[in-house]
Amino acid sequence: MTAAKQIDGKTRAADLTANITRETAALLKSHSIKPGLAVVIVGDDPASQVYVRNKKRAAESCGFYSAQHVLAESVSQPDVLKLIERLNADTAVHGILVQLPLPDHLDEQTITQAIIPTKDVDGFHFINIGKLMAGRISDAFVPCTPAGCMLLIEDELGTDLSGKTAVVIGRSNIVGKPIAALLLQANATVTITHSRTQDLAKVVSDADIVVAAVGRPGMVRADWIKRGAVVIDVGINRVEKIVDGKATTQLTGDVDYDEVCVVAGAITPVPGGVGPMTIAMLMANTLRSARMSAGLEG
Ligand code: GUN
């Protein structure tokens, strides 16, 4: 028995992408500017390769200039920084993204902070993080996954979350901390939980909005969830399953979907929930950067 509405991130992302494609054509016509996205990938991690391929495909379908820089696993830090310097100066590139994680010999922080803030479409630069924390969202690049989650939450509950309680599970820089800042900016009362939180189930059971971003398959159970809550599952876990006697890998979220959908008011599936929204928001940030380069946006 399913009580919850299944939030269709795939259709929502497709609608956003269609708008971005239209606006991209208009920008090209009015200002002869084609948004450009450069994606840097180091090594041959299969999951990262899939993400990067999807980003390239989306950029091309929006009508962007799309460049992919594939660097060997053994690339040196100075060589990565040289490439970023070149992309920072390239006027055809409005967005730069270095796919994470990076191999251990590369310093993630030095590399992400080398991207010029005005092309930081991932929203990882301290300038953009600072603007987000200060509530200056209008001229910050907000990280794509949290930005996509917020759109899905706003679709369900509106843009003003006054009086709502939100619990974020996970305190990562990519998802947990920025989504908490966005929820707070929308007037929700926000709690960030993590591996040291005591009685997580009890904390979560108070929430009108639950965002799960921990990377532990099926961790969030039905008896943690308040009836009618909006549940956003950011987890993308690859789990081995035996189907018809054959071992296959399946994508599973951090929420036990089958259980929780009986209690929740609305819930994102995995796949088809937050994942497509992340890519759509990357396209939105890149278009915005291109429009900013023409002085069309703040
Ligand atoms: N790896 C996993 N998620 C992300 C993301 O949002 N941006 C980048 N650059 N790498 C990632």
Side-chain angles (χ1 to χ4, degrees):
M1 187 194 57
T2 301
K5 167 188 166 187
Q6 187 182 85
I7 297 172
D8 184 355
K10 215 168 152 184
T11 301
R12 183 68 162 93
D15 291 347
L16 272 171
T17 306
N19 262 334
I20 293 165
T21 306
R22 270 193 295 277
E23 285 178 31
T24 297
L27 183 64
L28 187 60
K29 201 165 166 203
S30 62
H31 288 78
S32 305
I33 292 174
K34 187 186 256 239
L37 175 65
V39 176
V40 179
I41 177 168
V42 181
D44 49 14
D45 173 62
S48 290
Q49 281 180 331
V50 172
Y51 293 139
V52 166
R53 200 180 315 131
N54 289 341
K55 286 167 184 171
K56 183 173 195 290
R57 223 177 262 158
E60 284 168 356
S61 95
C62 287
F64 292 3
Y65 159 67
S66 162
Q68 215 172 316
H69 298 268
V70 183
L71 306 179
E73 178 92 19
S74 59
V75 69
S76 70
Q77 174 126 330
D79 282 350
V80 180
L81 293 174
K82 251 183 248 158
L83 171 61
I84 291 173
E85 255 172 56
R86 191 153 61 75
L87 296 172
N88 280 344
D90 185 343
T91 52
V93 171
H94 303 97
I96 304 168
L97 178 147
V98 177
Q99 185 66 31
L100 304 178
L102 291 169
D104 288 346
H105 70 281
L106 297 175
D107 180 32
E108 209 161 278
Q109 184 154 306
T110 304
I111 288 171
T112 51
Q113 299 311 307
I115 296 170
I116 189 170
T118 50
K119 295 189 181 186
D120 169 38
V121 285
D122 250 333
F124 294 167
H125 195 283
F126 293 155
I127 291 275
N128 285 312
I129 296 171
K131 285 181 178 178
L132 171 59
M133 290 312 295
R136 284 270 304 265
I137 293 171
S138 59
D139 68 347
F141 285 113
V142 174
C144 304
T145 300
C149 291
M150 269 319 276
L151 283 190
L152 297 179
I153 292 166
E154 286 172 7
D155 288 349
E156 298 308 313
L157 300 171
T159 52
D160 184 0
L161 303 176
S162 297
K164 304 276 186 226
T165 52
V167 171
V168 178
I169 312 174
R171 56 175 156 178
S172 69
N173 290 331
I174 295 187
V175 183
K177 289 177 195 166
I179 188 72
L182 290 169
L183 288 161
L184 182 62
Q185 185 70 14
N187 301 319
T189 301
V190 184
T191 304
I192 306 178
T193 64
H194 46 77
S195 55
R196 308 287 175 92
T197 298
Q198 289 196 354
D199 206 351
L200 182 58
K202 181 168 175 291
V203 179
V204 173
S205 68
D206 265 343
D208 301 307
I209 301 159
V210 179
V211 180
V214 265
R216 286 183 57 189
M219 186 181 89
V220 177
R221 309 299 301 265
D223 59 358
W224 298 22
I225 299 294
K226 180 153 106 180
R227 188 159 288 279
V230 173
V231 178
I232 305 293
D233 190 349
V234 183
I236 303 179
N237 309 292
R238 285 179 169 74
V239 177
E240 292 280 333
K241 284 229 166 116
I242 306 290
V243 178
D244 296 334
K246 275 193 212 152
T248 55
T249 51
Q250 265 188 357
L251 285 188
T252 309
D254 292 344
V255 176
D256 186 325
Y257 185 93
D258 291 341
E259 255 190 47
V260 170
C261 73
V262 178
V263 185
I267 181 170
T268 57
V270 176
V274 172
M277 294 298 288
T278 296
I279 295 191
M281 297 317 293
L282 176 65
M283 302 305 126
N285 278 353
T286 306
L287 171 62
R288 189 155 156 249
S289 177
R291 287 175 54 80
M292 282 160 107
S293 77
L296 296 170
E297 277 189 52

PDB file of all heavy atoms in Angstrom, residues 249-267:
ATOM      1  N   THR A 249      24.154  -5.143  -9.918  1.00  0.00           N
ATOM      2  CA  THR A 249      24.189  -4.016  -8.989  1.00  0.00           C
ATOM      3  C   THR A 249      22.946  -3.158  -9.209  1.00  0.00           C
ATOM      4  O   THR A 249      22.509  -2.965 -10.342  1.00  0.00           O
ATOM      5  CB  THR A 249      25.445  -3.128  -9.175  1.00  0.00           C
ATOM      6  OG1 THR A 249      25.546  -2.788 -10.546  1.00  0.00           O
ATOM      7  CG2 THR A 249      26.695  -3.792  -8.708  1.00  0.00           C
ATOM      8  N   GLN A 250      22.395  -2.714  -8.092  1.00  0.00           N
ATOM      9  CA  GLN A 250      21.195  -1.872  -8.153  1.00  0.00           C
ATOM     10  C   GLN A 250      21.475  -0.571  -7.429  1.00  0.00           C
ATOM     11  O   GLN A 250      22.204  -0.571  -6.440  1.00  0.00           O
ATOM     12  CB  GLN A 250      20.048  -2.583  -7.440  1.00  0.00           C
ATOM     13  CG  GLN A 250      19.174  -3.356  -8.394  1.00  0.00           C
ATOM     14  CD  GLN A 250      17.925  -3.886  -7.690  1.00  0.00           C
ATOM     15  OE1 GLN A 250      17.758  -3.711  -6.490  1.00  0.00           O
ATOM     16  NE2 GLN A 250      17.066  -4.526  -8.444  1.00  0.00           N
ATOM     17  N   LEU A 251      20.866   0.514  -7.918  1.00  0.00           N
ATOM     18  CA  LEU A 251      20.990   1.784  -7.209  1.00  0.00           C
ATOM     19  C   LEU A 251      19.948   1.827  -6.095  1.00  0.00           C
ATOM     20  O   LEU A 251      18.770   1.557  -6.342  1.00  0.00           O
ATOM     21  CB  LEU A 251      20.751   2.954  -8.165  1.00  0.00           C
ATOM     22  CG  LEU A 251      21.867   3.300  -9.138  1.00  0.00           C
ATOM     23  CD1 LEU A 251      21.525   4.593  -9.867  1.00  0.00           C
ATOM     24  CD2 LEU A 251      23.204   3.435  -8.424  1.00  0.00           C
ATOM     25  N   THR A 252      20.394   2.155  -4.899  1.00  0.00           N
ATOM     26  CA  THR A 252      19.483   2.221  -3.750  1.00  0.00           C
ATOM     27  C   THR A 252      19.767   3.509  -2.987  1.00  0.00           C
ATOM     28  O   THR A 252      20.929   3.907  -2.865  1.00  0.00           O
ATOM     29  CB  THR A 252      19.750   1.023  -2.799  1.00  0.00           C
ATOM     30  OG1 THR A 252      19.728  -0.167  -3.576  1.00  0.00           O
ATOM     31  CG2 THR A 252      18.699   0.918  -1.725  1.00  0.00           C
ATOM     32  N   GLY A 253      18.712   4.106  -2.477  1.00  0.00           N
ATOM     33  CA  GLY A 253      18.884   5.337  -1.707  1.00  0.00           C
ATOM     34  C   GLY A 253      19.236   5.057  -0.247  1.00  0.00           C
ATOM     35  O   GLY A 253      19.453   3.907   0.154  1.00  0.00           O
ATOM     36  N   ASP A 254      19.267   6.144   0.540  1.00  0.00           N
ATOM     37  CA  ASP A 254      19.519   6.031   1.981  1.00  0.00           C
ATOM     38  C   ASP A 254      18.238   5.730   2.751  1.00  0.00           C
ATOM     39  O   ASP A 254      18.271   5.493   3.962  1.00  0.00           O
ATOM     40  CB  ASP A 254      20.093   7.352   2.520  1.00  0.00           C
ATOM     41  CG  ASP A 254      21.489   7.627   1.998  1.00  0.00           C
ATOM     42  OD1 ASP A 254      22.125   6.683   1.480  1.00  0.00           O
ATOM     43  OD2 ASP A 254      21.946   8.779   2.123  1.00  0.00           O
ATOM     44  N   VAL A 255      17.110   5.802   2.028  1.00  0.00           N
ATOM     45  CA  VAL A 255      15.803   5.594   2.665  1.00  0.00           C
ATOM     46  C   VAL A 255      15.264   4.233   2.232  1.00  0.00           C
ATOM     47  O   VAL A 255      15.374   3.864   1.065  1.00  0.00           O
ATOM     48  CB  VAL A 255      14.826   6.711   2.210  1.00  0.00           C
ATOM     49  CG1 VAL A 255      13.431   6.484   2.778  1.00  0.00           C
ATOM     50  CG2 VAL A 255      15.356   8.088   2.615  1.00  0.00           C
ATOM     51  N   ASP A 256      14.672   3.513   3.172  1.00  0.00           N
ATOM     52  CA  ASP A 256      13.989   2.267   2.815  1.00  0.00           C
ATOM     53  C   ASP A 256      12.654   2.653   2.161  1.00  0.00           C
ATOM     54  O   ASP A 256      11.650   2.875   2.833  1.00  0.00           O
ATOM     55  CB  ASP A 256      13.778   1.426   4.088  1.00  0.00           C
ATOM     56  CG  ASP A 256      13.206   0.052   3.766  1.00  0.00           C
ATOM     57  OD1 ASP A 256      12.384  -0.059   2.817  1.00  0.00           O
ATOM     58  OD2 ASP A 256      13.574  -0.912   4.449  1.00  0.00           O
ATOM     59  N   TYR A 257      12.695   2.784   0.849  1.00  0.00           N
ATOM     60  CA  TYR A 257      11.570   3.372   0.112  1.00  0.00           C
ATOM     61  C   TYR A 257      10.260   2.643   0.366  1.00  0.00           C
ATOM     62  O   TYR A 257       9.225   3.257   0.670  1.00  0.00           O
ATOM     63  CB  TYR A 257      11.888   3.386  -1.402  1.00  0.00           C
ATOM     64  CG  TYR A 257      10.830   4.083  -2.213  1.00  0.00           C
ATOM     65  CD1 TYR A 257      10.935   5.430  -2.517  1.00  0.00           C
ATOM     66  CD2 TYR A 257       9.693   3.398  -2.649  1.00  0.00           C
ATOM     67  CE1 TYR A 257       9.945   6.086  -3.232  1.00  0.00           C
ATOM     68  CE2 TYR A 257       8.701   4.044  -3.366  1.00  0.00           C
ATOM     69  CZ  TYR A 257       8.835   5.382  -3.657  1.00  0.00           C
ATOM     70  OH  TYR A 257       7.846   6.031  -4.358  1.00  0.00           O
ATOM     71  N   ASP A 258      10.286   1.312   0.231  1.00  0.00           N
ATOM     72  CA  ASP A 258       9.038   0.537   0.315  1.00  0.00           C
ATOM     73  C   ASP A 258       8.344   0.745   1.658  1.00  0.00           C
ATOM     74  O   ASP A 258       7.124   0.855   1.734  1.00  0.00           O
ATOM     75  CB  ASP A 258       9.320  -0.958   0.108  1.00  0.00           C
ATOM     76  CG  ASP A 258       9.746  -1.223  -1.331  1.00  0.00           C
ATOM     77  OD1 ASP A 258       9.474  -0.363  -2.198  1.00  0.00           O
ATOM     78  OD2 ASP A 258      10.376  -2.268  -1.583  1.00  0.00           O
ATOM     79  N   GLU A 259       9.154   0.829   2.711  1.00  0.00           N
ATOM     80  CA  GLU A 259       8.599   1.043   4.048  1.00  0.00           C
ATOM     81  C   GLU A 259       8.125   2.489   4.234  1.00  0.00           C
ATOM     82  O   GLU A 259       7.009   2.735   4.685  1.00  0.00           O
ATOM     83  CB  GLU A 259       9.729   0.831   5.063  1.00  0.00           C
ATOM     84  CG  GLU A 259       9.665  -0.457   5.817  1.00  0.00           C
ATOM     85  CD  GLU A 259      10.681  -0.449   6.956  1.00  0.00           C
ATOM     86  OE1 GLU A 259      10.784   0.556   7.728  1.00  0.00           O
ATOM     87  OE2 GLU A 259      11.359  -1.445   7.065  1.00  0.00           O
ATOM     88  N   VAL A 260       8.999   3.423   3.870  1.00  0.00           N
ATOM     89  CA  VAL A 260       8.757   4.833   4.201  1.00  0.00           C
ATOM     90  C   VAL A 260       7.610   5.405   3.371  1.00  0.00           C
ATOM     91  O   VAL A 260       6.864   6.272   3.841  1.00  0.00           O
ATOM     92  CB  VAL A 260      10.061   5.658   4.057  1.00  0.00           C
ATOM     93  CG1 VAL A 260       9.788   7.153   4.154  1.00  0.00           C
ATOM     94  CG2 VAL A 260      11.067   5.234   5.121  1.00  0.00           C
ATOM     95  N   CYS A 261       7.413   4.900   2.154  1.00  0.00           N
ATOM     96  CA  CYS A 261       6.359   5.497   1.309  1.00  0.00           C
ATOM     97  C   CYS A 261       4.961   5.239   1.877  1.00  0.00           C
ATOM     98  O   CYS A 261       4.003   5.898   1.494  1.00  0.00           O
ATOM     99  CB  CYS A 261       6.484   5.050  -0.138  1.00  0.00           C
ATOM    100  SG  CYS A 261       5.992   3.375  -0.422  1.00  0.00           S
ATOM    101  N   VAL A 262       4.846   4.339   2.815  1.00  0.00           N
ATOM    102  CA  VAL A 262       3.547   4.091   3.443  1.00  0.00           C
ATOM    103  C   VAL A 262       3.212   5.206   4.451  1.00  0.00           C
ATOM    104  O   VAL A 262       2.045   5.497   4.704  1.00  0.00           O
ATOM    105  CB  VAL A 262       3.550   2.699   4.140  1.00  0.00           C
ATOM    106  CG1 VAL A 262       2.246   2.425   4.851  1.00  0.00           C
ATOM    107  CG2 VAL A 262       3.870   1.603   3.127  1.00  0.00           C
ATOM    108  N   VAL A 263       4.245   5.837   4.991  1.00  0.00           N
ATOM    109  CA  VAL A 263       4.067   6.825   6.063  1.00  0.00           C
ATOM    110  C   VAL A 263       4.214   8.269   5.562  1.00  0.00           C
ATOM    111  O   VAL A 263       3.483   9.166   5.996  1.00  0.00           O
ATOM    112  CB  VAL A 263       5.129   6.583   7.177  1.00  0.00           C
ATOM    113  CG1 VAL A 263       4.899   7.505   8.354  1.00  0.00           C
ATOM    114  CG2 VAL A 263       5.123   5.133   7.618  1.00  0.00           C
ATOM    115  N   ALA A 264       5.170   8.472   4.627  1.00  0.00           N
ATOM    116  CA  ALA A 264       5.502   9.836   4.176  1.00  0.00           C
ATOM    117  C   ALA A 264       4.350  10.440   3.387  1.00  0.00           C
ATOM    118  O   ALA A 264       3.466   9.727   2.892  1.00  0.00           O
ATOM    119  CB  ALA A 264       6.764   9.796   3.318  1.00  0.00           C
ATOM    120  N   GLY A 265       4.390  11.797   3.264  1.00  0.00           N
ATOM    121  CA  GLY A 265       3.425  12.478   2.405  1.00  0.00           C
ATOM    122  C   GLY A 265       3.906  12.494   0.958  1.00  0.00           C
ATOM    123  O   GLY A 265       3.128  12.379   0.016  1.00  0.00           O
ATOM    124  N   ALA A 266       5.220  12.676   0.802  1.00  0.00           N
ATOM    125  CA  ALA A 266       5.827  12.691  -0.531  1.00  0.00           C
ATOM    126  C   ALA A 266       7.264  12.212  -0.379  1.00  0.00           C
ATOM    127  O   ALA A 266       7.910  12.462   0.651  1.00  0.00           O
ATOM    128  CB  ALA A 266       5.804  14.107  -1.114  1.00  0.00           C
ATOM    129  N   ILE A 267       7.755  11.522  -1.388  1.00  0.00           N
ATOM    130  CA  ILE A 267       9.091  10.917  -1.279  1.00  0.00           C
ATOM    131  C   ILE A 267       9.735  10.836  -2.662  1.00  0.00           C
ATOM    132  O   ILE A 267       9.042  10.608  -3.660  1.00  0.00           O
ATOM    133  CB  ILE A 267       8.986   9.510  -0.617  1.00  0.00           C
ATOM    134  CG1 ILE A 267      10.361   8.847  -0.473  1.00  0.00           C
ATOM    135  CG2 ILE A 267       8.025   8.594  -1.353  1.00  0.00           C
ATOM    136  CD1 ILE A 267      10.343   7.579   0.394  1.00  0.00           C
TER     137      ILE A 267
END
